[in-house]
Amino acid sequence: MKISFLIHTIYGIGGTIRATLNLAEELVDRHEVEIVSAFRHRDIPLFPTDPRISLVHLVDTRPKSPTYEKDDPVHQEPSEHFPRSEARYKEYSRLTDERVRAHYEGSDADVVIGTRPGLVAYVTQFAPEGAVLIGQEHMTHNHHKPELREEMRQYLDRLDAFVTVSEGDAEVWREQMPLPDTRMLSIPNSVPEPVVAPSDLEGNLIVAAGRLSREKRYDVLITAFATVVEARPEWRLRICGWGPDKDRLRRTIDRLGLHNSVQLMGPRSPIEPEWVKGAIAASTSRHESFGMTLVEAMRCGLPLVSTDCDYGPREIIKDGEDGLLVPVGDADAVAAALLRLIDDEPLRREMAAAAIRNARRYDPGVVAKRYADLFAELGAGSSQHAGTAPAAPRTQPFAPVADCVAEADGSLTVTVVAPQAAALKHPGLRLVCTHIEGHAGERVYPLRPDGTAVIPAADEFADGHWMCHADDPRTGRRVQLTARAVDQRGSLRVAERLRTDSGVRHLVPHRRAPQQHLVLRSWVRPVHVEAADVVLSGHRLTLTGRLVGPVEPSGEPSLVLRRRGDVNDELVFHGTREGTRGFSAVIDCEAAAERLEGEHEYWEIWLRYAPGEDPVRIGRVLDDVVRKSDVFVYPDVLLHKQRSLLLARRVLRKLRGQDQRLIKVTLAYNATNRLVLHVGDR
């Protein structure tokens, strides 16, 4: 049987994309499967894709592609077949009409599945004669505007089946739009078993994931966490995802003074290595058609706190058994539920175990069987594809894929997972790490017969980035190693095993976009000052941290700010010692603004840990985050200043007639994860 999925794009991140891939990867074991992507805006999909699945794109919108088509005149003409009330109507055109029609005119698919309303309409108009037509509802009846529902009625009436992801939504569709000739039913999305070990629940992280949009109500979660952190200040909240609500959420974090406790992590794919770093998963959506992130978190062994919104959470979570359901929009209830799980470790562990058990009902094999049964009931498989074996995998080049685990002792374990038994097929295959900046030699590790290689914690890696390769010395072939999943839990907890009287040597594995290669980030600091919390009060920034290295602090510490790194141009702020190696110091942003000589400049930040000693740069390296500037973000300080007579004449001429300037002072991490103070006109 040949099955064709029609999707908006397979090259992004989202629940529909993940659900489509999960189902397709399970079906391809027994059938021929293709995913037809209306648009292609990236070279390769962000989610790894089974090579047995055929990927077809119809319109190329990659700006640098030689086949770029976004400016094609036909693409500027409106679509005649895509529903006008659909949210993405303006993205479709006469060109997409023609491409979808042309693809399916030459198709021999037995089943064609549309994955959003407009594509369901395309399926009913362009699918090959005799194919079973299925529409999927990844949102809900109530999510769609009445105009779209009415416009879609004629298309839904032509379907063989319309599948929602929750039974509650299916009931609404059956009640509000009865269609005698279309079977309406619910089949949940599937979530595979994670390739990383479940959470050990030992950390102090609450993790949330999903699109940063208003319907996810992350503002409620952040507000609730303000109550949590007041009672349990050691706990942290990480929110993974991207979307249009990022700036508003950042303002909420700053307004509540939570910049030290709440991090917006950006998109993370795959998401499982992020879930397993947590001890609790949270969701505060006002609406969920399903709740794939809830199932993902459950499969990773996390208990849940979720709003009891329509429709998915109440069908996924067994309240009091594997998670806690709370009213929509109630920040106090969210905070109380989180604190209940934080304070009751036995309950947390009991719910985590139940979550793993209960989430197995969403295994791809279980869900795919329901779809296969539906296909058979609707008569699919009577064409030439009936009874045929799935297409054989396309011949793949020598391109091993590996998982990497940062162990608790600081070592790394790299395991080749694809192609199957790659290490056995290539005796003598080695893991070779090369310094990207070219400042050090190679590090070579043999791959065992089971495909694993271990990088000991004691091995020395020069500071910088190291690319991992699979190397076959018999043939001379060496290729960059693609990472499937990178488990960074050991890197997250480096501070727990670090001796503060010795230097820093920290190795963090990660996936480098866009090809998702396995890269190791090495930090080597003979003496290091690790930044901690930053507290804003008026125009003053209080910075805390600790000294690491074989040096002895004495006397009172001081912060040294150097304009553009110039040792002859400094600002000094006296601090206090916190314990043996900790410190606290206040930066007066007014003083830095008074010294501004142009429109913009920066100050490097150093710590003098003892009188007469050379200062040490302050940065942040002791965790699992490779690029700190994207995650650890501090509020701006805004100052109204009289314009200085020390400004250069050309600047004075430019600014003549204006009495005041608004100065913005920002504390941030640079490309090497060291702190700098940016000062300049807003």
Side-chain angles (χ1 to χ4, degrees):
M1 184 186 307
K2 182 175 181 179
I3 303 163
S4 177
F5 292 88
L6 180 59
I7 194 169
H8 177 72
T9 180
I10 200 66
Y11 296 91
I13 291 180
T16 301
I17 299 171
R18 182 67 269 177
T20 299
L21 283 171
N22 288 346
L23 179 56
E25 288 168 359
E26 189 67 23
L27 291 172
V28 81
D29 285 337
R30 295 178 176 82
H31 306 286
E32 182 180 347
V33 178
E34 71 172 8
I35 297 177
V36 181
S37 182
F39 298 100
R40 182 179 186 178
H41 63 288
R42 286 191 177 91
D43 292 338
I44 58 175
L46 293 179
F47 289 124
T49 305
D50 192 313
R52 296 174 296 172
I53 299 171
S54 297
L55 297 184
V56 180
H57 73 272
L58 302 181
V59 177
D60 191 344
T61 60
R62 293 172 292 170
K64 296 181 180 180
S65 170
T67 57
Y68 174 74
E69 297 174 293
K70 199 168 185 178
D71 296 332
D72 188 307
V74 183
H75 194 43
Q76 307 308 309
E77 299 180 29
S79 169
E80 298 176 358
H81 298 276
F82 198 87
R84 290 181 175 271
S85 302
E86 230 266 32
R88 292 192 179 274
Y89 171 72
K90 292 184 179 180
E91 298 178 48
Y92 286 77
S93 66
R94 191 161 68 85
L95 181 62
T96 55
D97 292 353
E98 293 178 357
R99 294 289 170 81
V100 175
R101 179 192 290 112
H103 176 78
Y104 285 113
E105 278 180 351
S107 172
D108 52 4
D110 298 289
V111 179
V112 183
I113 302 173
T115 57
R116 62 175 299 120
L119 300 180
V120 170
Y122 269 168
V123 164
T124 63
Q125 296 171 85
F126 301 135
E129 186 75 21
V132 167
L133 309 184
I134 294 179
Q136 286 182 334
E137 175 58 275
H138 287 278
M139 298 304 295
T140 66
H141 177 278
N142 295 334
H143 174 84
H144 300 306
K145 295 178 180 178
E147 297 83 0
L148 176 60
R149 295 198 295 264
E150 189 56 38
E151 191 175 4
M152 287 298 297
R153 182 185 294 271
Q154 59 177 317
Y155 304 118
L156 299 183
D157 193 41
R158 301 178 197 173
L159 293 172
D160 294 292
F162 185 59
V163 181
T164 69
V165 291
S166 71
E167 181 56 32
D169 189 42
E171 291 177 0
V172 174
W173 276 104
R174 287 190 287 260
E175 178 183 341
Q176 298 296 323
M177 192 179 290
L179 299 171
D181 296 328
T182 301
R183 182 172 176 185
M184 288 189 171
L185 71 158
S186 70
I187 301 178
N189 289 329
S190 65
V191 176
E193 184 177 1
V195 297
V196 293
S199 170
D200 59 16
L201 305 178
E202 293 293 338
N204 60 351
L205 284 180
I206 297 168
V207 181
R211 179 172 165 80
L212 304 185
S213 59
R214 291 193 178 237
E215 70 177 19
K216 298 298 184 182
R217 293 305 308 270
Y218 287 123
D219 58 321
V220 172
L221 177 57
I222 293 168
T223 301
F225 193 71
T227 301
V228 171
V229 81
E230 184 177 357
R232 300 291 178 264
E234 72 279 9
W235 279 74
R236 298 290 182 263
L237 170 64
R238 287 184 169 185
I239 302 174
C240 302
W242 58 11
D245 218 24
K246 179 180 178 180
D247 290 342
R248 188 175 73 93
L249 295 176
R250 172 57 57 197
R251 291 192 294 271
T252 301
I253 292 169
D254 291 348
R255 176 175 56 82
L256 295 174
L258 295 174
H259 52 273
N260 294 310
S261 304
V262 179
Q263 278 80 49
L264 302 180
M265 304 298 293
R268 291 291 190 270
S269 175
I271 191 62
E272 290 82 2
E274 300 304 315
W275 286 124
V276 298
K277 296 173 185 175
I280 301 169
S283 174
T284 47
S285 296
R286 66 183 176 195
H287 166 86
E288 283 285 359
S289 56
F290 177 63
M292 180 168 287
T293 58
L294 300 179
V295 182
E296 290 171 343
M298 291 170 72
R299 298 219 71 167
C300 289
L302 293 185
L304 300 165
V305 170
S306 173
T307 47
D308 185 18
C309 62
D310 295 336
Y311 291 94
R314 67 183 58 147
E315 295 185 15
I316 295 171
I317 298 170
K318 296 184 178 180
D319 189 27
E321 180 178 330
D322 50 28
L324 300 172
L325 292 172
V326 298
V328 174
D330 191 337
D332 290 339
V334 174
L338 291 172
L339 285 169
R340 180 182 173 190
L341 290 178
I342 288 171
D343 293 339
D344 191 339
E345 182 177 350
L347 176 64
R348 190 163 77 239
R349 293 189 177 279
E350 181 180 330
M351 284 190 171
I356 293 175
R357 291 194 307 271
N358 294 343
R360 291 178 186 138
R361 67 188 187 273
Y362 299 104
D363 189 84
V366 176
V367 173
K369 184 179 185 306
R370 294 182 63 178
Y371 267 100
D373 291 344
L374 176 63
F375 300 158
E377 292 167 10
L378 296 174
S382 58
S383 74
Q384 60 179 320
H385 291 279
T388 61
R394 298 185 295 274
T395 301
Q396 297 295 307
F398 175 64
V401 177
D403 291 338
C404 184
V405 177
E407 308 289 356
D409 63 359
S411 65
L412 304 182
T413 301
V414 178
T415 305
V416 174
V417 294
Q420 290 183 346
L424 294 176
K425 291 180 180 178
H426 302 274
L429 193 66
R430 308 180 302 174
L431 169 67
V432 177
C433 307
T434 59
H435 195 258
I436 293 177
E437 291 83 3
H439 300 155
E442 298 179 345
R443 302 290 182 269
V444 180
Y445 305 91
L447 281 165
R448 301 167 181 166
D450 63 356
T452 64
V454 176
I455 302 175
D459 280 14
E460 295 186 5
F461 282 75
D463 195 276
H465 296 84
W466 291 74
M467 180 67 72
C468 295
H469 302 80
D471 181 90
D472 187 346
R474 299 179 310 147
T475 62
R477 290 180 297 180
R478 176 179 292 187
V479 298
Q480 293 173 339
L481 197 58
T482 300
R484 182 180 67 168
V486 179
D487 185 345
Q488 301 171 318
R489 275 175 286 187
S491 301
L492 177 64
R493 297 169 184 175
V494 61
E496 299 172 6
R497 64 175 184 269
L498 185 71
R499 291 179 51 189
T500 56
D501 60 350
S502 61
V504 168
R505 286 168 51 198
H506 183 33
L507 200 60
V508 179
H510 65 103
R511 300 168 83 226
R512 171 174 281 192
Q515 290 81 15
Q516 311 306 332
H517 291 142
L518 178 60
V519 175
L520 313 180
R521 178 54 166 105
S522 174
W523 281 287
V524 179
R525 303 283 189 272
V527 180
H528 170 64
V529 178
E530 178 78 356
D533 287 352
V534 174
V535 178
L536 172 63
S537 178
H539 57 82
R540 297 175 182 272
L541 292 169
T542 301
L543 173 64
T544 61
R546 63 169 176 155
L547 177 69
V548 181
V551 294
E552 291 298 327
S554 64
E556 293 300 319
S558 59
L559 287 185
V560 179
L561 275 61
R562 291 176 173 172
R563 193 199 311 262
R564 296 183 291 274
D566 187 351
V567 297
N568 298 311
D569 193 354
E570 295 183 341
L571 277 171
V572 178
F573 301 102
H574 297 291
T576 58
R577 192 164 306 288
E578 305 287 341
T580 304
R581 289 178 168 266
F583 73 91
S584 175
V586 177
I587 299 174
D588 186 346
C589 297
E590 290 267 13
E594 292 287 352
R595 297 278 294 273
L596 183 61
E597 295 181 350
E599 294 183 357
H600 183 270
E601 62 192 16
Y602 70 91
W603 296 78
E604 293 181 354
I605 303 178
W606 303 66
L607 177 74
R608 180 169 281 117
Y609 58 87
E613 296 291 344
D614 291 335
V616 180
R617 282 295 298 273
I618 301 177
R620 191 171 194 137
V621 300
L622 300 179
D623 55 38
D624 59 322
V625 179
V626 173
R627 186 179 175 89
K628 315 295 180 183
S629 60
D630 296 336
V631 173
F632 297 98
V633 180
Y634 305 113
D636 297 328
V637 177
L638 299 179
L639 303 169
H640 290 276
K641 303 297 295 179
Q642 294 292 327
R643 297 194 178 277
S644 172
L645 296 178
L646 297 178
L647 292 174
R649 289 183 179 178
R650 64 178 181 82
V651 178
L652 282 173
R653 285 197 299 270
K654 180 178 179 181
L655 301 174
R656 186 175 290 124
Q658 301 179 41
D659 295 329
Q660 285 194 337
R661 63 194 300 195
L662 185 61
I663 306 297
K664 181 173 73 172
V665 182
T666 304
L667 190 65
Y669 291 95
N670 65 11
T672 60
N673 294 335
R674 292 184 168 97
L675 274 176
V676 293
L677 194 73
H678 294 279
V679 184
D681 289 336
R682 186 177 184 182

